[in-house]
Amino acid sequence: LFVLLESTVFPVTYLNITKDLALQRLLVEWDVGKPAHDAGLAMSFEIQVRRTDENTTVWTGFHNVTLGKSAKPLHWIWDSDLPLECMSHLVRIRSKAEVSKIWSQWSLWEAVLGMDTSNNSEPQIFPNEKIVEEGSDITLCCIGRKGRIIKEFFLVPAVHVFSHTNSQVGLLTVKNVSHQGVPHISVYCQESCNEEQCYAHSVFFVGKQPDTPNDFSCQTQDMRIVTCTWSKGGETYLYGHRLPKYTLFEEFSQKMVPCTVSCSEQCSCSWNIGQQRIYNITVTVENPLGKKTAMDVFDVTHRIYPAAPFQLWEECTDTEITLYWKHRNKGIELFCQTEVLQPNGKVELHNSSDTHLHYASITLGGLQPYTEYTVRVRCGAAKHFWRWSEWSEALTIRTKEATPSGKLDIWREITPVLGGRNVTLFWKQAPSFRANGKSVSYEVTWEKVEGGSKRESISFSPVHNSTRISIDNDSYRISIMAKNNVNYSLPSVMIIPRATEILFCSFLGTEELKEEQVNGTDDGIFISWEPRHTYDSYIIEWCKVPMLQPCDLQWKRFGPNISSALINSAAFVPGVRYNFHVYGSVANRASLLEKKTGYLRELPPLLDPIVEKVELTLNAVTLSWDSYPTDESQPGFVRGYHVYVSPIQEDCLLKGSKKHVLPDDSVLCKYTIEDPEEKRYTVKHLLSNTKYKLAVKAYTGGGETPIVNFIYIDTPFNSNLMYLLVLLVIVPAVIAAICHWKMKWVKERCCPVIPSPSKSKVLSFKAFKVRSLKI
C-alpha cells in the first residue's frame, strides 16, 4: 500500500471560490478524485493566491486533512488585508498524500473578480464605513473608471500612510491607526479631471473593543427584585448604533434576563426574581469590534443589600441620646451600625441588632452636656452578611444643658491707692472647664477673711472676663463662679493678703528681686524657676502688649511638680522686651518668687550711641556717650559697645585692636567694651598730627547695625619734636654760621699762628760769636 501511495496522485477535481466582502474573506471549496475505499487517508494541499495587478503570488499556505468516508467537499478560509472589491483574486490548489513526495498538477486558476473589472460611472472607495480597531492596520483602495488615472487619494484628518497607485487603482495603507478626536476619518479620491463625477468620498471609524464588565455582582434589597451592577468601562469612540450593547443571560434557566440596562456612573439591570433562589448570570457587552463577558453565581438569600434607614428621631438627656429609625426591609433580620461624629472630629461606631417590626433604636451614653453630635445609621443582613446599606441621612443632635463642670482659672492685679487698694480681677475658662450650657454668665463675690463685713457680689455677662473692685487694707476672700441656665459651677477662690503683709514682704526684700534675663526660641520664651515644696501651684504672669496701658495681662497656671515652661503667644514679636513674674500659690494665696525678662528674638539697637564728648591728646582720644539708654526701650539686651578706629589714608594697625573688614573691603581697628554701663573709652597709640575716623556702636544678642556714620578727628601737633629739632639742628647750624663768619677772628683767638724762628726779628741783630759759634 505504501508503494502504491508513493506512486499515486489524487488531483483536485473540483474548485469553487466565494467571497465575504464584509469580512474581506475568501471561502475556498474543493474536492479530489479518489476512490471511496481510501477513507482515512491523510492528504496535504498547497494553496496559492495572487492578484491581477501583481505577477507574484501574494500568499501560499498548506492545509492538512484526513479524508472521510463521505465524499464531502473540503473547505479553507483566507483573510485578505486588501478589500476584495479593490482587484480580482486568483486561487489555485494542488494535493498529495502526506506520505508521498509527489504533488499533483496545479488546478486551473479560479478567479474572483473585483470592482476593477466593472464599468463604474464614478470612482469608488473600499471599504466604506468600516469600523477599525485602534492600533490595527487598514488598507483602502480607490478604483477609477476605465481609462482614468487616479490623481489624488488622501485622508482627513491627515494620517501618515503608505500609498501605491497604478493607473486605475490607488491604495492607501495606514499602520497602527489611532483615534483622531473626530467621529470618523474621511477618505477622498480624485481622478485626473475636475468634473463632479471625478470625485469619490468615503469614511471609516476608529474605535475600541468594549472593556470587560468589571465589579459585576448582583444583589437584592427586599428578596423580590434582583439588581446587577458593573462598571461602565472606558470610551470606545463609537456612537449611535455602534455603541456597546449589554445582554444578561441566566445559565440554569437558559433564558435571557428580562431587564433593561441603564448606564450612568455605572451600569445596572433589575428584574423580579420569582421563586428562583440560585442564579448563574452572564453579562455580555458587545460592539462591532468584539465582545466581553463577566459572570456571577449567587444565592439570593446571601446577597441582601438593605435599603438605607430613614426617618431618624431622638430622645436625649444631658449625657445620653436614644436614637430611633425606620427601615423598609420588613421580615429581614438586620445588624445595624451607628456612626457618631464627635465635636473634635473623632468618629465612633456603635453596633446594634434590629429585630423590631416597625422601628429600631440604640442608646448612646457617655456624652458631653449641651454638645452637638452628628449621627447616621446603616444596616446589613444579620444572617449571611453581604454588605452594608447606604448611610441614612445625617441627624445633628444637641444634648441637654447641665451644671458647669470644673472651675474658672482666675488671677488678679493689685494697685495701692490712698486708703486701700484697687484689685483688677481676671478670669478665663480653664481647659478642664465646660460651660455645659447655651450661655454662661459670671458672678464675683468678695468679703473680708476675718468677717465683720457685708458680702458683696456682682454679675457679668458672657462677654466680660475682668473687673476692678476697691478694697481696704484688710485681707479679703474673693470667689468667682460661672452660671448657666441650670446652676452655678464650683467657685474659684483667691485670698488677697493684708496690705501690712505685703509691706512686710517688701521689707524682707521681695521687691528687690533682680530680673533674670531669659532666652527666646523659635517657639516662644523659655521660663524656669526654682521649685519650692511649700506651694501647690505656680503662676507665670506677663503683659501681652507691654508698651500699652492696660497691657492685656496674661497668666498661666502650673502644677506643683513643674519648674519650667515655654511661654508662647501669637502676640509675641521680635524686638519687644517681655517681663515675667513667677508666683507661688498655697491655700489660694500667691507670693511673688522670681522676675524674668527676655525677648522672643533680640534685634540690633535702633540708634547708635551719640558721642557727647571727645578728648584729644597727642597719642590718644577719649570718647564719652553717657546718655545712651540700656532699658526696655531697646530691641535687645545691650551687651556692650564696639569702638572702631582707622586712619583715613591707610588701614589700621593699632596695638591691642582686632581687625574688622567692612563690606567695601576697607579695614578698621575694633575695640570691644563688654560692660553696657561703661560709656567711656580711650583709644591709645595714635599718631600725632594725623586724621582718624571713629565710630561707636552698641550691640545686643541680635548683633549691631552696619557702620554708616563716622566721627573725624585730627590729633594735635607734637611741640616736643620742635624743641628737639631746635636743639639738634638749628642751634648747631647757627653756631656753624657764626663760626664761618668770624673764622679769622676765631682762628686768631683759638688757634694763633706760631711764629717761625727763621723770620724772627732777633735774627736781624748783628751776628756775634761765642767760642767760634755764630749765634
Side-chain angles (χ1 to χ4, degrees), residues 28 252 425 467 484 516 534 613 759:
V28 182
F252 296 143
L425 300 172
T467 187
N484 62 13
E516 178 187 351
T534 57
K613 189 175 182 181
K759 293 181 179 181

Side-chain angles (χ1 to χ4, degrees), residues 643-646 652-654 657-658 660 667-671:
V643 177
Y644 298 94
V645 184
S646 178
C652 187
L653 299 173
L654 293 178
S657 66
K658 293 183 178 180
H660 180 78
V667 180
L668 301 177
C669 284
K670 177 181 177 181
Y671 299 90

Side-chain angles (χ1 to χ4, degrees), residues 93-307:
I93 189 169
R94 66 178 180 173
S95 65
K96 75 177 183 68
E98 278 192 15
V99 296
S100 174
K101 297 181 180 179
I102 302 173
W103 286 95
S104 70
Q105 296 293 323
W106 284 105
S107 67
L108 297 177
W109 288 102
E110 184 73 21
V112 179
L113 299 180
M115 297 297 294
D116 56 335
T117 61
S118 62
N119 293 320
N120 301 323
S121 60
E122 61 184 10
Q124 289 185 305
I125 299 174
F126 298 100
N128 184 25
E129 295 192 2
K130 182 177 177 64
I131 300 172
V132 182
E133 186 172 2
E134 187 174 46
S136 62
D137 303 338
I138 181 173
T139 299
L140 303 102
C141 69
C142 177
I143 304 172
R145 293 172 292 175
K146 285 188 177 181
R148 298 287 184 172
I149 298 175
I150 301 300
K151 180 181 178 182
E152 285 188 298
F153 190 22
F154 60 93
L155 305 178
V156 176
V159 179
H160 181 69
V161 298
F162 300 92
S163 62
H164 170 71
T165 304
N166 61 19
S167 59
Q168 183 185 358
V169 179
L171 298 178
L172 286 179
T173 300
V174 184
K175 297 288 187 181
N176 193 21
V177 64
S178 63
H179 187 260
Q180 300 295 309
V182 293
H184 57 261
I185 295 178
S186 298
V187 187
Y188 295 93
C189 179
Q190 181 188 0
E191 296 174 343
S192 56
C193 55
N194 295 321
E195 290 80 11
E196 184 177 350
Q197 61 269 24
C198 299
Y199 294 89
H201 169 250
S202 178
V203 297
F204 68 90
F205 303 90
V206 179
K208 290 182 176 181
Q209 293 189 31
D211 291 335
T212 300
N214 291 322
D215 304 322
F216 178 60
S217 67
C218 303
Q219 57 203 9
T220 181
Q221 286 190 336
D222 51 11
M223 292 297 294
R224 293 186 298 105
I225 296 176
V226 170
T227 300
C228 294
T229 59
W230 61 92
S231 60
K232 184 178 179 180
E235 181 62 63
T236 62
Y237 308 129
L238 300 177
Y239 306 95
H241 65 278
R242 303 177 184 88
L243 281 170
K245 292 180 175 58
Y246 297 95
T247 56
L248 276 73
F249 183 77
E250 208 289 304
E251 296 290 342
F252 296 143
S253 63
Q254 288 293 300
K255 293 181 180 179
M256 299 297 296
V257 176
C259 68
T260 301
V261 176
S262 63
C263 293
S264 54
E265 294 293 328
Q266 65 174 4
C267 297
S268 64
C269 193
S270 301
W271 72 96
N272 291 320
I273 61 177
Q275 300 301 317
Q276 188 173 348
R277 288 293 176 264
I278 299 177
Y279 285 84
N280 183 352
I281 303 293
T282 299
V283 59
T284 301
V285 56
E286 184 176 8
N287 72 1
L289 294 174
K291 67 179 180 179
K292 302 287 177 61
T293 61
M295 186 178 67
D296 187 20
V297 180
F298 60 94
D299 184 334
V300 175
T301 59
H302 295 187
R303 292 291 183 88
I304 297 176
Y305 172 61

Side-chain angles (χ1 to χ4, degrees), residues 450-619:
E450 289 79 7
S453 68
K454 182 182 177 181
R455 190 176 193 181
E456 298 183 67
S457 64
I458 186 171
S459 296
F460 297 94
S461 67
V463 298
H464 290 82
N465 61 2
S466 66
T467 187
R468 187 172 69 177
I469 62 173
S470 297
I471 60 174
D472 56 27
N473 292 321
D474 290 337
S475 178
Y476 277 80
R477 181 181 185 272
I478 299 174
S479 66
I480 304 177
M481 296 182 293
K483 181 181 182 300
N484 62 13
N485 294 329
V486 177
N487 207 340
Y488 288 94
S489 69
L490 295 174
S492 297
V493 179
M494 174 189 304
I495 303 297
I496 306 297
R498 287 192 187 95
T500 54
E501 293 182 37
I502 298 176
L503 289 174
F504 181 69
C505 291
S506 300
F507 178 76
L508 292 177
T510 304
E511 295 297 332
E512 296 180 2
L513 289 173
K514 290 186 178 181
E515 286 187 332
E516 178 187 351
Q517 293 183 5
V518 293
N519 298 321
T521 67
D522 292 337
D523 300 320
I525 300 175
F526 184 76
I527 307 294
S528 63
W529 60 90
E530 182 183 348
R532 283 86 163 174
H533 299 295
T534 57
Y535 297 105
D536 53 30
S537 66
Y538 297 98
I539 301 98
I540 298 180
E541 169 194 276
W542 74 93
C543 282
K544 191 174 182 179
V545 187
M547 300 301 178
L548 297 181
Q549 288 298 329
C551 69
D552 194 0
L553 188 70
Q554 305 290 310
W555 76 97
K556 196 167 185 180
R557 195 176 297 271
F558 302 91
N561 299 321
I562 305 298
S563 60
S564 64
L566 184 67
I567 306 299
N568 49 27
S569 170
F572 285 167
V573 294
V576 175
R577 186 181 297 186
Y578 297 93
N579 298 314
F580 301 88
H581 293 165
V582 180
Y583 290 84
S585 177
V586 59
N588 300 319
R589 296 172 182 264
S591 303
L592 180 62
L593 302 180
E594 298 180 22
K595 294 181 179 181
K596 313 286 182 178
T597 183
Y599 297 82
L600 180 68
R601 188 175 75 251
E602 295 186 59
L603 300 178
L606 297 176
L607 300 174
D608 293 338
I610 298 175
V611 178
E612 300 162 351
K613 189 175 182 181
V614 180
E615 300 175 12
L616 286 171
T617 63
L618 289 176
N619 304 107

Side-chain angles (χ1 to χ4, degrees), residues 318-331:
D318 56 343
T319 59
E320 283 187 349
I321 294 175
T322 300
L323 182 67
Y324 301 90
W325 64 88
K326 292 184 178 181
H327 54 77
R328 295 180 175 86
N329 304 91
K330 306 301 182 183

